[in-house]
Amino acid sequence: MTTLKTLSHASCIIKNGDKTLITDPWLIGSCYWRSWWNYPPVKESIYEDIKKIDAIYITHVHWDHWHGPSLKKFFPKETLIITHKESNTRSVEDLRSMGFNNIKLLKHGESFKLGSMILTAYQFGLAMNDSALVVETPEMKLLDANDCKIAGSSLRAILKKHGQFDFALRSHSSANDRVCYSIQGSDYQMDDENHYSRSFALFMNAVNPKFAVPFASNHCHLHKDVYHLNDLVNDPFKLEAYLSAKKLLKNNTQLKIMLSGDSWSSSTGFDIDPLNAKFFSDKSNKISEYKESVSNKLKQFYDLENKMSPNARIVEMFATQINSIPFFLRKKFKGFTYKMILFNDHSQWCYIVSPFSGTVEKCEEEFENGSKILIPVKIFIDSVALNMFHHSSISKRNKYIFDNETYFKKFDQFQNLLEYVELGVFPLRLKYILRVLSMYSRRWREVFIYGKAYLLSRKGMPNYYIEEEFLKDT
């Protein structure tokens, strides 16, 4: 018998025989500096299910999937952790620093047997490698795509190898920071809120599973800086309404909303708690109650943030990270600077950042140069100290304000390069280049996808529409 149970935002348990697998366990608390919280809240009953876990699969390094506090609290250090082998080693290094040394790395398309379960990992992504996981048991076949944007020939290869899936799980809401950008006096479209529903439908139409499960987007925002963004979260019931109204889900695929504690068994079918729906039919009040229930934790965090201030050492570290980007790539930023404002509730500190010269210098509050980036001071300090600037943006607590599209595009290009520092791409090393070449020998289909994506972007097509184009082509 095989069972599947949804635990939280992007975590589920799959049991077959005497073996149990858990994916992406974020099971307690929040992530991204108290910005993201599981929604609905994780049911207390699921903690019984995780007392005996044979293996953990981690899809990628983002904190809503790779959640350190959950790993530390619930899993013995000898627990087998399975993840994908990628060119950057950040995830593995961080696991080992926490004491987890029983790690199995799967190459792209490589399988691993866990009892009667067969697990196969697939990667996708130019530098930030998300992975999709295929789980096959004698009674069920599942594709956990979570945040992985796999599409085109790469997705076709999976379908050809594994055939019909019973379940496909995929994200359906924004995990990026596009909503945090603004260009003064411009109607430039940063994002399309319906893109996430369309891409979910296009993916499911390509995969054609029996059941399409909205997954890895079941969260809300409780920090005061981002509480107002809850209306923008594309929750599973919003998704269901949009797909139904537009008649986007084709074939015989059935949308199946599975929230914390909901389950399926190969012998008895689905066990869905109808009370979970109340978290969405009365969403505003439920989130307000949720916020009140964790108000002490939020207040403690606000107090901590308000005690923090930047120092010369952390600013120097940031300049060093900028300078690790090769100069031939920084040359295109000559003449471009931006004003960085670090802040808490009581103070702010202003700096001029020059990507070209790799300098970070204090400036007056009155200084303006057409590009203004506001970052909570604790987020800046942690991001620099941990070298995790990409996580800073996912918090959605930063603000990016530009006078024109040219400044916006310049900063966006620089931000991408800074994220490559986090991912270990820069400073360039021969070992890293050799690892990349080795990885893409198994992932050669992606090279053609990236080539086509580059040409489409040169024509002015936004990334979110490019993703849809590749899904249509699957």
Side-chain angles (χ1 to χ4, degrees), residues 180-418:
C180 304
Y181 282 76
S182 63
I183 301 173
Q184 302 298 316
S186 171
D187 58 358
Y188 187 92
Q189 186 174 353
M190 295 292 177
D191 205 358
D192 179 344
E193 64 178 351
N194 294 322
H195 153 72
Y196 304 96
S197 294
R198 290 196 304 268
S199 61
F200 179 92
L202 288 167
F203 179 86
M204 294 303 172
N205 292 340
V207 175
N208 190 26
K210 293 179 183 176
F211 301 105
V213 180
F215 196 62
S217 296
N218 294 323
H219 65 273
C220 67
H221 302 292
L222 297 186
H223 192 287
K224 59 185 177 60
D225 288 356
V226 289
Y227 190 79
H228 64 285
L229 297 179
N230 284 307
D231 290 341
L232 298 180
V233 175
N234 191 36
D235 68 53
F237 290 92
K238 280 185 182 179
L239 171 71
E240 181 180 47
Y242 185 85
L243 297 183
S244 177
K246 302 293 184 179
K247 297 180 171 56
L248 292 183
L249 211 55
K250 307 297 183 184
N251 308 315
N252 295 315
T253 296
Q254 181 181 348
L255 186 75
K256 203 70 181 178
I257 296 174
M258 298 180 70
L259 302 169
S260 184
D262 291 341
S263 63
W264 171 88
S265 163
S266 58
S267 61
T268 59
F270 287 96
D271 183 8
I272 305 295
D273 183 357
L275 294 178
N276 274 333
K278 290 186 177 180
F279 285 97
F280 299 92
S281 60
D282 189 22
K283 189 174 178 180
S284 180
N285 286 329
K286 289 293 184 183
I287 291 180
S288 178
E289 292 171 5
Y290 192 6
K291 182 181 180 182
E292 181 60 30
S293 72
V294 296
S295 59
N296 287 338
K297 290 182 179 179
L298 289 169
K299 183 181 183 304
Q300 289 172 7
F301 196 73
Y302 299 154
D303 290 343
L304 174 62
E305 290 190 299
N306 287 329
K307 292 175 182 176
M308 302 194 76
S309 61
N311 56 58
R313 180 174 172 272
I314 207 75
V315 172
E316 183 180 341
M317 285 178 64
F318 180 46
T320 299
Q321 290 165 348
I322 295 173
N323 280 286
S324 68
I325 300 170
F327 183 68
F328 74 89
L329 293 174
R330 289 190 282 121
K331 283 174 66 176
K332 63 183 173 184
F333 300 110
K334 188 174 183 179
F336 170 72
T337 62
Y338 65 89
K339 180 182 179 182
M340 179 174 68
I341 303 173
L342 309 181
F343 69 93
N344 58 29
D345 289 341
H346 304 313
S347 304
Q348 66 177 31
W349 300 264
C350 302
Y351 300 85
I352 302 172
V353 180
S354 170
F356 172 73
S357 62
T359 57
V360 183
E361 300 175 343
K362 288 183 179 179
C363 70
E364 298 297 322
E365 288 186 20
E366 296 77 16
F367 174 81
E368 296 293 341
N369 63 354
S371 301
K372 186 162 55 178
I373 315 303
L374 295 87
I375 308 175
V377 64
K378 176 168 174 52
I379 291 183
F380 176 78
I381 291 171
D382 290 349
S383 297
V384 173
L386 297 172
N387 189 18
M388 299 199 92
F389 254 87
H390 190 46
H391 289 67
S392 162
S393 60
I394 299 173
S395 76
K396 300 180 188 282
R397 291 184 54 201
N398 300 342
K399 293 288 179 285
Y400 313 90
I401 304 168
F402 305 95
D403 280 359
N404 56 57
E405 292 181 22
T406 300
Y407 291 160
F408 155 65
K409 290 177 179 178
K410 283 287 186 183
F411 177 81
D412 190 48
Q413 292 169 359
F414 171 64
Q415 185 85 331
N416 289 335
L417 293 175
L418 201 58

Side-chain angles (χ1 to χ4, degrees), residues 58-185:
I58 296 178
T59 58
H60 61 293
V61 76
H62 286 161
W63 291 341
D64 53 316
H65 300 260
W66 197 117
H67 192 247
S70 294
L71 292 171
K72 290 177 183 177
K73 181 177 177 65
F74 295 110
F75 305 104
K77 294 297 188 290
E78 64 271 15
T79 304
L80 173 63
I81 296 183
I82 307 168
T83 190
H84 59 296
K85 186 174 183 179
E86 54 181 323
S87 48
N88 73 75
T89 59
R90 180 63 185 265
S91 177
V92 173
E93 289 170 358
D94 286 356
L95 286 170
R96 287 177 176 154
S97 72
M98 289 170 53
F100 291 98
N101 291 305
N102 187 13
I103 301 170
K104 173 65 178 177
L105 298 178
L106 296 181
K107 298 175 183 177
H108 179 78
E110 183 181 2
S111 297
F112 176 81
K113 287 201 72 174
L114 183 68
S116 298
M117 281 190 271
I118 301 174
L119 316 179
T120 310
Y122 294 95
Q123 298 175 47
F124 196 82
L126 188 56
M128 174 61 227
N129 291 162
D130 282 359
S131 69
L133 176 68
V134 171
V135 181
E136 297 169 290
T137 77
E139 299 88 9
M140 180 205 71
K141 199 180 296 183
L142 174 147
L143 172 59
D144 176 9
N146 62 89
D147 291 345
C148 188
K149 306 306 182 189
I150 196 162
S153 57
S154 296
L155 180 55
R156 288 198 300 270
I158 295 175
L159 301 177
K160 182 178 180 181
K161 179 176 179 178
H162 297 280
Q164 174 80 37
F165 285 97
D166 298 294
F167 289 89
L169 286 58
R170 192 185 195 269
S171 61
H172 49 92
S173 191
S174 163
N176 58 63
D177 61 349
R178 293 174 193 145
V179 70
C180 304
Y181 282 76
S182 63
I183 301 173
Q184 302 298 316

